[in-house]
Amino acid sequence: MATTYLFDDLRTRDVLADMRYLPTDPAPGDRIPAFDLPTLDGTRFRSDALGHRPVLLVFGSQTCPVTRSSVPQLRDLHDEYADRVRFVLVQTREAHPGELLPQPRTDEQKAAHAAAMRDDLHVPFEVAVDDVAGTLHRAVGPKPNSAYVLRPDGTITARVHWANDAAAVRAGVEHVLRGTAPRRRRGSTARPLLEAIGHLPEVVRRAGSKAERDVWRAVPPLALLGRAAGLLRDLPLDRRGPAAAAALTCVALAAAVGLLVAL
């Protein structure tokens, strides 16, 4: 399992697996699987010692465009809720490894990647490091940038597929602070991905051109959207993907109409 988990080349099956949870993956109402992880500040992040506050647990990596999209929104939430909620970002495998940022193969390398992610994305809260085999990440269903809201006893009260879905994350945080029962909230799937597309050129710049070649091979539509989004430099990053999708849809429709007229 660990060998499959630590891929060097992104595959279509990896992308498809990112799009859905298995029925066996932990969900609201379940306990988070046991873990004991080091943090970059030298402390431990442990499932049996979460503290007295609820926890917003987010998974991510520097080469994940959705992580790059989510952190600015998480910073805003942290500014608002830091006195009531513990925020922790857990370094996972690299979502898009390349020749400049390859998949880490030792604990030391993974910790170095976590520090680089913290510094690159200006993360103001705790950063923990999963082990190389991704034991915790695999135990919850290894999505690149999922978010979990936990009670202090480790019960999951909300699960959000993509952490840049700020409305769903905020709702989960408000939900646990009100102390109401867990709900099966997962947030949107397509819209957060589109908003992350604008960050794909920066992922390629940092990870290396191999990362882009892998996307072209595994998911050509996303690679095409990334190229188109890279041309829309006047727009905010999170608006480039949706704008590129709209533009390419218009081009495709115009081509289809032209073909019908020609026939």
Side-chain angles (χ1 to χ4, degrees):
M1 173 65 76
T3 301
T4 303
Y5 174 79
L6 289 175
F7 60 76
D8 291 311
D9 305 307
L10 182 70
R11 300 152 298 189
T12 304
R13 68 185 184 190
D14 299 314
V15 178
L16 294 176
D18 291 343
M19 301 307 295
R20 65 183 182 90
Y21 285 99
L22 299 176
T24 53
D25 291 334
D30 297 331
R31 287 289 186 93
I32 194 76
F35 61 83
D36 182 358
L37 305 180
T39 67
L40 293 182
D41 61 10
T43 60
R44 307 294 299 188
F45 178 45
R46 294 168 41 189
S47 55
D48 61 352
L50 294 174
H52 66 280
R53 294 173 294 166
V55 177
L56 177 60
L57 166 61
V58 180
F59 294 93
S61 69
Q62 190 178 184
T63 60
C64 172
V66 195
T67 302
R68 304 191 75 89
S69 173
S70 71
V71 169
Q73 300 174 67
L74 293 172
R75 283 199 298 263
D76 291 341
L77 289 173
H78 181 257
D79 288 343
E80 185 174 350
Y81 293 102
D83 61 332
R84 291 171 287 167
V85 177
R86 182 182 182 186
F87 284 64
V88 184
L89 176 59
V90 176
Q91 170 75 35
T92 69
R93 66 187 175 190
E94 293 297 341
H96 294 279
E99 68 274 16
L100 301 180
L101 278 174
Q103 202 67 264
R105 297 291 170 174
T106 68
D107 290 336
E108 293 75 17
Q109 290 173 352
K110 196 159 188 176
H113 280 229
M117 174 181 66
R118 177 196 60 193
D119 296 344
D120 176 28
L121 301 181
H122 307 292
V123 180
F125 41 85
E126 290 180 84
V127 176
V129 188
D130 201 2
D131 60 28
V132 171
T135 301
L136 174 59
H137 195 206
R138 289 188 291 114
V140 298
K143 304 297 175 281
N145 187 221
S146 55
Y148 294 80
V149 181
L150 312 176
R151 289 178 182 156
D153 66 359
T155 300
I156 300 170
T157 62
R159 181 181 71 184
V160 181
H161 203 128
W162 302 109
N164 69 335
D165 188 347
V169 174
R170 177 183 290 276
V173 168
E174 287 286 350
H175 176 68
V176 74
L177 290 174
R178 289 195 300 268
T180 48
R183 295 180 298 172
R184 289 183 172 270
R185 184 180 184 89
R186 66 187 298 268
S188 176
T189 300
R191 180 181 55 78
L193 274 179
L194 279 178
E195 291 179 353
I197 288 295
H199 298 263
L200 189 56
E202 179 65 11
V203 165
V204 170
R205 187 181 76 80
R206 292 183 177 274
S209 58
K210 176 188 177 301
E212 184 178 30
R213 291 196 299 271
D214 284 353
V215 177
W216 276 109
R217 184 180 62 252
V219 273
L222 289 185
L224 180 60
L225 282 173
R227 281 288 183 91
L231 301 175
L232 303 174
R233 297 184 181 89
D234 292 337
L235 293 178
L237 285 169
D238 283 356
R239 290 178 56 192
R240 294 179 188 181
L248 290 175
T249 299
C250 289
V251 170
L253 288 174
V257 169
L259 179 61
L260 289 174
V261 170
L263 293 176

Short mmCIF file of all heavy atoms in Angstrom, two decimals, residues 29-85:
data_model
loop_
_atom_site.label_atom_id
_atom_site.label_comp_id
_atom_site.label_asym_id
_atom_site.label_seq_id
_atom_site.Cartn_x
_atom_site.Cartn_y
_atom_site.Cartn_z
N GLY A 29 -19.55 11.62 12.82
CA GLY A 29 -20.07 10.67 13.80
C GLY A 29 -19.05 9.63 14.19
O GLY A 29 -19.16 9.02 15.26
N ASP A 30 -18.05 9.39 13.33
CA ASP A 30 -16.97 8.45 13.63
C ASP A 30 -15.86 9.14 14.41
O ASP A 30 -15.74 10.37 14.40
CB ASP A 30 -16.38 7.87 12.33
CG ASP A 30 -17.38 7.06 11.53
OD1 ASP A 30 -18.30 6.49 12.15
OD2 ASP A 30 -17.24 7.02 10.29
N ARG A 31 -15.01 8.35 15.03
CA ARG A 31 -13.79 8.88 15.65
C ARG A 31 -12.69 8.95 14.60
O ARG A 31 -12.59 8.07 13.74
CB ARG A 31 -13.33 7.98 16.81
CG ARG A 31 -14.18 8.07 18.05
CD ARG A 31 -13.99 9.40 18.77
NE ARG A 31 -14.68 9.46 20.05
CZ ARG A 31 -14.13 9.14 21.21
NH1 ARG A 31 -12.88 8.74 21.26
NH2 ARG A 31 -14.84 9.22 22.33
N ILE A 32 -11.88 9.98 14.67
CA ILE A 32 -10.72 10.07 13.79
C ILE A 32 -9.77 8.92 14.15
O ILE A 32 -9.62 8.59 15.33
CB ILE A 32 -10.02 11.45 13.95
CG1 ILE A 32 -9.04 11.71 12.81
CG2 ILE A 32 -9.34 11.58 15.28
CD1 ILE A 32 -9.68 12.09 11.50
N PRO A 33 -9.15 8.25 13.17
CA PRO A 33 -8.20 7.18 13.50
C PRO A 33 -7.07 7.70 14.39
O PRO A 33 -6.68 8.87 14.32
CB PRO A 33 -7.67 6.76 12.13
CG PRO A 33 -8.76 7.12 11.17
CD PRO A 33 -9.36 8.38 11.72
N ALA A 34 -6.55 6.84 15.24
CA ALA A 34 -5.50 7.23 16.18
C ALA A 34 -4.26 7.70 15.44
O ALA A 34 -3.87 7.13 14.41
CB ALA A 34 -5.15 6.06 17.10
N PHE A 35 -3.62 8.76 15.97
CA PHE A 35 -2.39 9.28 15.37
C PHE A 35 -1.56 9.97 16.42
O PHE A 35 -2.07 10.41 17.47
CB PHE A 35 -2.68 10.23 14.20
CG PHE A 35 -3.46 11.46 14.59
CD1 PHE A 35 -2.82 12.57 15.13
CD2 PHE A 35 -4.84 11.50 14.42
CE1 PHE A 35 -3.54 13.71 15.48
CE2 PHE A 35 -5.57 12.64 14.78
CZ PHE A 35 -4.91 13.74 15.32
N ASP A 36 -0.29 10.09 16.15
CA ASP A 36 0.65 10.82 17.00
C ASP A 36 1.73 11.36 16.07
O ASP A 36 2.65 10.64 15.68
CB ASP A 36 1.26 9.90 18.06
CG ASP A 36 2.22 10.64 19.00
OD1 ASP A 36 2.44 11.85 18.80
OD2 ASP A 36 2.73 9.98 19.93
N LEU A 37 1.60 12.64 15.69
CA LEU A 37 2.45 13.22 14.66
C LEU A 37 3.32 14.33 15.22
O LEU A 37 2.88 15.09 16.09
CB LEU A 37 1.60 13.80 13.52
CG LEU A 37 0.59 12.87 12.84
CD1 LEU A 37 -0.15 13.63 11.74
CD2 LEU A 37 1.27 11.64 12.28
N PRO A 38 4.54 14.47 14.70
CA PRO A 38 5.37 15.61 15.08
C PRO A 38 4.88 16.88 14.39
O PRO A 38 4.29 16.83 13.30
CB PRO A 38 6.76 15.23 14.59
CG PRO A 38 6.48 14.34 13.40
CD PRO A 38 5.23 13.58 13.75
N THR A 39 5.10 18.02 15.03
CA THR A 39 4.80 19.30 14.40
C THR A 39 6.10 20.05 14.15
O THR A 39 7.14 19.73 14.74
CB THR A 39 3.88 20.17 15.29
OG1 THR A 39 4.60 20.55 16.47
CG2 THR A 39 2.63 19.40 15.68
N LEU A 40 6.04 21.04 13.30
CA LEU A 40 7.26 21.78 12.96
C LEU A 40 7.79 22.61 14.12
O LEU A 40 8.95 23.00 14.12
CB LEU A 40 6.99 22.68 11.75
CG LEU A 40 6.72 21.96 10.43
CD1 LEU A 40 6.53 22.98 9.30
CD2 LEU A 40 7.84 20.98 10.07
N ASP A 41 6.92 22.89 15.11
CA ASP A 41 7.40 23.67 16.25
C ASP A 41 7.95 22.79 17.37
O ASP A 41 8.24 23.28 18.47
CB ASP A 41 6.32 24.60 16.77
CG ASP A 41 5.07 23.86 17.26
OD1 ASP A 41 5.12 22.62 17.37
OD2 ASP A 41 4.06 24.52 17.54
N GLY A 42 8.08 21.48 17.11
CA GLY A 42 8.70 20.58 18.07
C GLY A 42 7.76 19.93 19.06
O GLY A 42 8.21 19.20 19.95
N THR A 43 6.46 20.13 18.92
CA THR A 43 5.49 19.50 19.80
C THR A 43 4.90 18.27 19.09
O THR A 43 5.41 17.84 18.05
CB THR A 43 4.39 20.49 20.18
OG1 THR A 43 3.71 20.94 19.00
CG2 THR A 43 4.98 21.69 20.91
N ARG A 44 3.83 17.71 19.66
CA ARG A 44 3.15 16.55 19.07
C ARG A 44 1.68 16.91 18.82
O ARG A 44 1.07 17.68 19.57
CB ARG A 44 3.20 15.33 19.99
CG ARG A 44 4.58 14.93 20.47
CD ARG A 44 5.48 14.45 19.37
NE ARG A 44 4.99 13.27 18.67
CZ ARG A 44 5.73 12.60 17.76
NH1 ARG A 44 6.97 13.03 17.46
NH2 ARG A 44 5.25 11.56 17.14
N PHE A 45 1.15 16.35 17.76
CA PHE A 45 -0.27 16.46 17.44
C PHE A 45 -0.83 15.05 17.59
O PHE A 45 -0.56 14.18 16.78
CB PHE A 45 -0.45 17.00 16.02
CG PHE A 45 -1.87 17.11 15.56
CD1 PHE A 45 -2.86 17.64 16.37
CD2 PHE A 45 -2.23 16.70 14.27
CE1 PHE A 45 -4.16 17.75 15.95
CE2 PHE A 45 -3.53 16.82 13.82
CZ PHE A 45 -4.50 17.34 14.66
N ARG A 46 -1.60 14.83 18.68
CA ARG A 46 -2.04 13.49 19.05
C ARG A 46 -3.55 13.41 19.13
O ARG A 46 -4.21 14.32 19.64
CB ARG A 46 -1.43 13.09 20.40
CG ARG A 46 0.05 12.93 20.40
CD ARG A 46 0.61 12.81 21.82
NE ARG A 46 -0.21 11.97 22.68
CZ ARG A 46 -0.03 11.85 23.99
NH1 ARG A 46 0.93 12.55 24.59
NH2 ARG A 46 -0.82 11.06 24.70
N SER A 47 -4.09 12.28 18.66
CA SER A 47 -5.53 12.09 18.69
C SER A 47 -6.08 11.96 20.09
O SER A 47 -7.27 12.23 20.34
CB SER A 47 -5.91 10.86 17.86
OG SER A 47 -5.21 9.71 18.33
N ASP A 48 -5.24 11.54 21.06
CA ASP A 48 -5.71 11.39 22.44
C ASP A 48 -5.39 12.61 23.29
O ASP A 48 -5.58 12.59 24.51
CB ASP A 48 -5.11 10.13 23.08
CG ASP A 48 -3.59 10.17 23.14
OD1 ASP A 48 -2.99 11.11 22.56
OD2 ASP A 48 -3.00 9.27 23.77
N ALA A 49 -4.90 13.69 22.66
CA ALA A 49 -4.60 14.92 23.39
C ALA A 49 -4.81 16.12 22.47
O ALA A 49 -3.91 16.92 22.24
CB ALA A 49 -3.17 14.89 23.92
N LEU A 50 -6.03 16.25 21.97
CA LEU A 50 -6.33 17.32 21.02
C LEU A 50 -6.47 18.68 21.70
O LEU A 50 -6.43 19.71 21.03
CB LEU A 50 -7.61 16.99 20.24
CG LEU A 50 -7.52 15.77 19.31
CD1 LEU A 50 -8.89 15.48 18.71
CD2 LEU A 50 -6.50 16.00 18.21
N GLY A 51 -6.63 18.69 23.00
CA GLY A 51 -6.83 19.94 23.72
C GLY A 51 -8.29 20.17 24.04
O GLY A 51 -9.14 19.31 23.80
N HIS A 52 -8.60 21.33 24.57
CA HIS A 52 -9.96 21.62 25.01
C HIS A 52 -10.81 22.28 23.94
O HIS A 52 -12.02 22.47 24.13
CB HIS A 52 -9.91 22.54 26.24
CG HIS A 52 -9.36 23.90 25.95
ND1 HIS A 52 -8.01 24.15 25.86
CD2 HIS A 52 -9.98 25.09 25.72
CE1 HIS A 52 -7.82 25.44 25.59
NE2 HIS A 52 -8.99 26.02 25.49
N ARG A 53 -10.21 22.63 22.82
CA ARG A 53 -10.95 23.28 21.75
C ARG A 53 -11.25 22.29 20.62
O ARG A 53 -10.51 21.31 20.43
CB ARG A 53 -10.14 24.44 21.16
CG ARG A 53 -9.89 25.60 22.09
CD ARG A 53 -8.93 26.60 21.44
NE ARG A 53 -7.60 26.03 21.24
CZ ARG A 53 -6.65 26.55 20.49
NH1 ARG A 53 -6.89 27.67 19.81
NH2 ARG A 53 -5.48 25.97 20.37
N PRO A 54 -12.29 22.51 19.82
CA PRO A 54 -12.46 21.74 18.59
C PRO A 54 -11.24 21.94 17.67
O PRO A 54 -10.49 22.91 17.82
CB PRO A 54 -13.73 22.33 17.95
CG PRO A 54 -14.43 23.03 19.06
CD PRO A 54 -13.37 23.51 19.99
N VAL A 55 -11.06 21.03 16.72
CA VAL A 55 -9.90 21.06 15.83
C VAL A 55 -10.37 21.10 14.37
O VAL A 55 -11.26 20.33 13.99
CB VAL A 55 -9.01 19.82 16.04
CG1 VAL A 55 -7.83 19.83 15.05
CG2 VAL A 55 -8.49 19.77 17.47
N LEU A 56 -9.78 22.00 13.62
CA LEU A 56 -9.93 21.96 12.16
C LEU A 56 -8.68 21.31 11.61
O LEU A 56 -7.59 21.90 11.65
CB LEU A 56 -10.12 23.36 11.57
CG LEU A 56 -10.20 23.42 10.03
CD1 LEU A 56 -11.38 22.59 9.52
CD2 LEU A 56 -10.29 24.85 9.54
N LEU A 57 -8.80 20.08 11.14
CA LEU A 57 -7.69 19.28 10.63
C LEU A 57 -7.74 19.30 9.11
O LEU A 57 -8.74 18.88 8.51
CB LEU A 57 -7.80 17.85 11.15
CG LEU A 57 -6.95 16.77 10.50
CD1 LEU A 57 -5.47 17.06 10.66
CD2 LEU A 57 -7.30 15.41 11.09
N VAL A 58 -6.69 19.80 8.48
CA VAL A 58 -6.64 19.93 7.02
C VAL A 58 -5.41 19.20 6.50
O VAL A 58 -4.33 19.27 7.10
CB VAL A 58 -6.56 21.41 6.60
CG1 VAL A 58 -6.51 21.54 5.07
CG2 VAL A 58 -7.74 22.20 7.16
N PHE A 59 -5.57 18.47 5.40
CA PHE A 59 -4.46 17.81 4.74
C PHE A 59 -4.02 18.62 3.53
O PHE A 59 -4.85 19.26 2.87
CB PHE A 59 -4.86 16.39 4.29
CG PHE A 59 -5.14 15.46 5.42
CD1 PHE A 59 -6.42 15.29 5.92
CD2 PHE A 59 -4.11 14.75 6.02
CE1 PHE A 59 -6.69 14.44 6.98
CE2 PHE A 59 -4.35 13.88 7.08
CZ PHE A 59 -5.64 13.74 7.56
N GLY A 60 -2.72 18.60 3.21
CA GLY A 60 -2.28 19.35 2.04
C GLY A 60 -0.81 19.18 1.74
O GLY A 60 -0.05 18.57 2.50
N SER A 61 -0.41 19.73 0.61
CA SER A 61 0.99 19.72 0.18
C SER A 61 1.24 20.94 -0.70
O SER A 61 0.30 21.52 -1.25
CB SER A 61 1.33 18.44 -0.58
OG SER A 61 0.70 18.40 -1.85
N GLN A 62 2.50 21.28 -0.85
CA GLN A 62 2.88 22.46 -1.61
C GLN A 62 2.53 22.31 -3.09
O GLN A 62 2.28 23.30 -3.78
CB GLN A 62 4.38 22.71 -1.44
CG GLN A 62 4.85 24.04 -1.99
CD GLN A 62 6.32 24.30 -1.77
OE1 GLN A 62 6.82 25.36 -2.10
NE2 GLN A 62 7.04 23.34 -1.21
N THR A 63 2.52 21.07 -3.59
CA THR A 63 2.25 20.84 -5.01
C THR A 63 0.79 20.52 -5.30
O THR A 63 0.46 20.06 -6.39
CB THR A 63 3.13 19.70 -5.55
OG1 THR A 63 2.84 18.49 -4.83
CG2 THR A 63 4.60 20.04 -5.43
N CYS A 64 -0.08 20.80 -4.33
CA CYS A 64 -1.52 20.61 -4.55
C CYS A 64 -2.14 21.96 -4.87
O CYS A 64 -2.14 22.86 -4.02
CB CYS A 64 -2.17 20.01 -3.31
SG CYS A 64 -3.97 19.95 -3.40
N PRO A 65 -2.68 22.17 -6.06
CA PRO A 65 -3.27 23.47 -6.39
C PRO A 65 -4.45 23.83 -5.49
O PRO A 65 -4.69 25.01 -5.23
CB PRO A 65 -3.69 23.34 -7.85
CG PRO A 65 -3.60 21.90 -8.19
CD PRO A 65 -2.69 21.26 -7.21
N VAL A 66 -5.18 22.82 -4.99
CA VAL A 66 -6.30 23.13 -4.11
C VAL A 66 -5.79 23.62 -2.76
O VAL A 66 -6.37 24.52 -2.16
CB VAL A 66 -7.23 21.91 -3.93
CG1 VAL A 66 -8.55 22.36 -3.32
CG2 VAL A 66 -7.49 21.21 -5.25
N THR A 67 -4.68 23.05 -2.28
CA THR A 67 -4.08 23.55 -1.04
C THR A 67 -3.67 25.00 -1.21
O THR A 67 -3.90 25.85 -0.34
CB THR A 67 -2.86 22.70 -0.65
OG1 THR A 67 -3.26 21.33 -0.49
CG2 THR A 67 -2.25 23.19 0.65
N ARG A 68 -3.06 25.31 -2.33
CA ARG A 68 -2.63 26.68 -2.59
C ARG A 68 -3.84 27.62 -2.64
O ARG A 68 -3.76 28.78 -2.23
CB ARG A 68 -1.83 26.76 -3.89
CG ARG A 68 -0.62 25.85 -3.94
CD ARG A 68 0.27 26.15 -5.13
NE ARG A 68 1.03 27.37 -4.88
CZ ARG A 68 2.22 27.40 -4.29
NH1 ARG A 68 2.78 26.28 -3.86
NH2 ARG A 68 2.83 28.54 -4.08
N SER A 69 -4.95 27.12 -3.13
CA SER A 69 -6.18 27.92 -3.17
C SER A 69 -6.80 28.07 -1.79
O SER A 69 -7.38 29.11 -1.46
CB SER A 69 -7.18 27.27 -4.13
OG SER A 69 -8.44 27.90 -4.08
N SER A 70 -6.65 27.03 -0.95
CA SER A 70 -7.36 27.02 0.33
C SER A 70 -6.68 27.82 1.42
O SER A 70 -7.36 28.37 2.30
CB SER A 70 -7.55 25.57 0.81
OG SER A 70 -6.33 24.99 1.22
N VAL A 71 -5.35 27.89 1.42
CA VAL A 71 -4.65 28.48 2.56
C VAL A 71 -5.03 29.94 2.80
O VAL A 71 -5.23 30.34 3.96
CB VAL A 71 -3.13 28.28 2.44
CG1 VAL A 71 -2.38 29.12 3.48
CG2 VAL A 71 -2.78 26.81 2.62
N PRO A 72 -5.14 30.80 1.78
CA PRO A 72 -5.58 32.18 2.07
C PRO A 72 -6.93 32.24 2.78
O PRO A 72 -7.12 33.06 3.70
CB PRO A 72 -5.64 32.83 0.69
CG PRO A 72 -4.65 32.05 -0.13
CD PRO A 72 -4.79 30.64 0.35
N GLN A 73 -7.85 31.36 2.40
CA GLN A 73 -9.16 31.33 3.06
C GLN A 73 -9.04 30.78 4.48
O GLN A 73 -9.72 31.24 5.40
CB GLN A 73 -10.13 30.50 2.23
CG GLN A 73 -10.32 31.05 0.82
CD GLN A 73 -11.17 30.16 -0.05
OE1 GLN A 73 -12.36 30.01 0.20
NE2 GLN A 73 -10.57 29.57 -1.08
N LEU A 74 -8.17 29.79 4.66
CA LEU A 74 -7.94 29.24 6.00
C LEU A 74 -7.30 30.28 6.91
O LEU A 74 -7.58 30.32 8.11
CB LEU A 74 -7.07 27.98 5.92
CG LEU A 74 -7.71 26.78 5.24
CD1 LEU A 74 -6.68 25.67 5.04
CD2 LEU A 74 -8.90 26.26 6.05
N ARG A 75 -6.43 31.11 6.34
CA ARG A 75 -5.84 32.19 7.14
C ARG A 75 -6.92 33.13 7.65
O ARG A 75 -6.90 33.56 8.82
CB ARG A 75 -4.81 32.98 6.32
CG ARG A 75 -3.48 32.28 6.14
CD ARG A 75 -2.40 33.28 5.74
NE ARG A 75 -2.68 33.92 4.48
CZ ARG A 75 -2.18 33.54 3.31
NH1 ARG A 75 -1.35 32.51 3.25
NH2 ARG A 75 -2.48 34.19 2.20
N ASP A 76 -7.88 33.46 6.79
CA ASP A 76 -8.98 34.33 7.21
C ASP A 76 -9.80 33.68 8.32
O ASP A 76 -10.19 34.34 9.30
CB ASP A 76 -9.89 34.67 6.02
CG ASP A 76 -9.20 35.57 5.00
OD1 ASP A 76 -8.20 36.21 5.36
OD2 ASP A 76 -9.68 35.62 3.85
N LEU A 77 -10.10 32.39 8.16
CA LEU A 77 -10.85 31.68 9.19
C LEU A 77 -10.06 31.62 10.50
O LEU A 77 -10.63 31.75 11.58
CB LEU A 77 -11.20 30.27 8.72
CG LEU A 77 -12.26 30.15 7.62
CD1 LEU A 77 -12.36 28.72 7.13
CD2 LEU A 77 -13.61 30.63 8.13
N HIS A 78 -8.76 31.43 10.39
CA HIS A 78 -7.91 31.37 11.57
C HIS A 78 -7.95 32.71 12.30
O HIS A 78 -8.02 32.75 13.55
CB HIS A 78 -6.48 31.01 11.17
CG HIS A 78 -5.54 30.90 12.32
ND1 HIS A 78 -4.61 31.88 12.62
CD2 HIS A 78 -5.37 29.93 13.26
CE1 HIS A 78 -3.92 31.52 13.67
NE2 HIS A 78 -4.35 30.34 14.08
N ASP A 79 -7.91 33.80 11.57
CA ASP A 79 -8.00 35.12 12.21
C ASP A 79 -9.29 35.26 13.01
O ASP A 79 -9.31 35.90 14.07
CB ASP A 79 -7.95 36.22 11.15
CG ASP A 79 -6.57 36.39 10.52
OD1 ASP A 79 -5.59 35.89 11.10
OD2 ASP A 79 -6.49 37.00 9.44
N GLU A 80 -10.33 34.63 12.51
CA GLU A 80 -11.65 34.78 13.13
C GLU A 80 -11.89 33.80 14.28
O GLU A 80 -12.54 34.14 15.28
CB GLU A 80 -12.73 34.59 12.07
CG GLU A 80 -14.14 34.84 12.54
CD GLU A 80 -15.16 34.80 11.40
OE1 GLU A 80 -14.72 34.75 10.22
OE2 GLU A 80 -16.36 34.81 11.69
N TYR A 81 -11.34 32.59 14.16
CA TYR A 81 -11.70 31.52 15.10
C TYR A 81 -10.53 31.00 15.94
O TYR A 81 -10.71 30.05 16.71
CB TYR A 81 -12.30 30.33 14.34
CG TYR A 81 -13.62 30.59 13.68
CD1 TYR A 81 -13.70 30.83 12.31
CD2 TYR A 81 -14.80 30.58 14.42
CE1 TYR A 81 -14.92 31.05 11.70
CE2 TYR A 81 -16.03 30.80 13.81
CZ TYR A 81 -16.09 31.04 12.45
OH TYR A 81 -17.31 31.26 11.85
N ALA A 82 -9.35 31.55 15.82
CA ALA A 82 -8.17 30.97 16.47
C ALA A 82 -8.32 30.85 17.97
O ALA A 82 -7.72 29.95 18.59
CB ALA A 82 -6.93 31.80 16.14
N ASP A 83 -9.09 31.72 18.59
CA ASP A 83 -9.26 31.66 20.05
C ASP A 83 -10.22 30.57 20.48
O ASP A 83 -10.28 30.21 21.66
CB ASP A 83 -9.73 33.01 20.58
CG ASP A 83 -11.08 33.42 20.00
OD1 ASP A 83 -11.39 33.01 18.85
OD2 ASP A 83 -11.82 34.16 20.69
N ARG A 84 -10.98 29.99 19.50
CA ARG A 84 -11.97 28.97 19.83
C ARG A 84 -11.73 27.63 19.17
O ARG A 84 -12.31 26.60 19.57
CB ARG A 84 -13.37 29.47 19.44
CG ARG A 84 -13.89 30.61 20.29
CD ARG A 84 -15.16 31.20 19.71
NE ARG A 84 -14.89 31.99 18.52
CZ ARG A 84 -15.83 32.40 17.67
NH1 ARG A 84 -17.09 32.05 17.88
NH2 ARG A 84 -15.51 33.13 16.63
N VAL A 85 -10.90 27.61 18.12
CA VAL A 85 -10.66 26.39 17.33
C VAL A 85 -9.17 26.22 17.11
O VAL A 85 -8.46 27.20 16.82
CB VAL A 85 -11.40 26.46 15.97
CG1 VAL A 85 -11.10 25.23 15.12
CG2 VAL A 85 -12.90 26.61 16.17
#
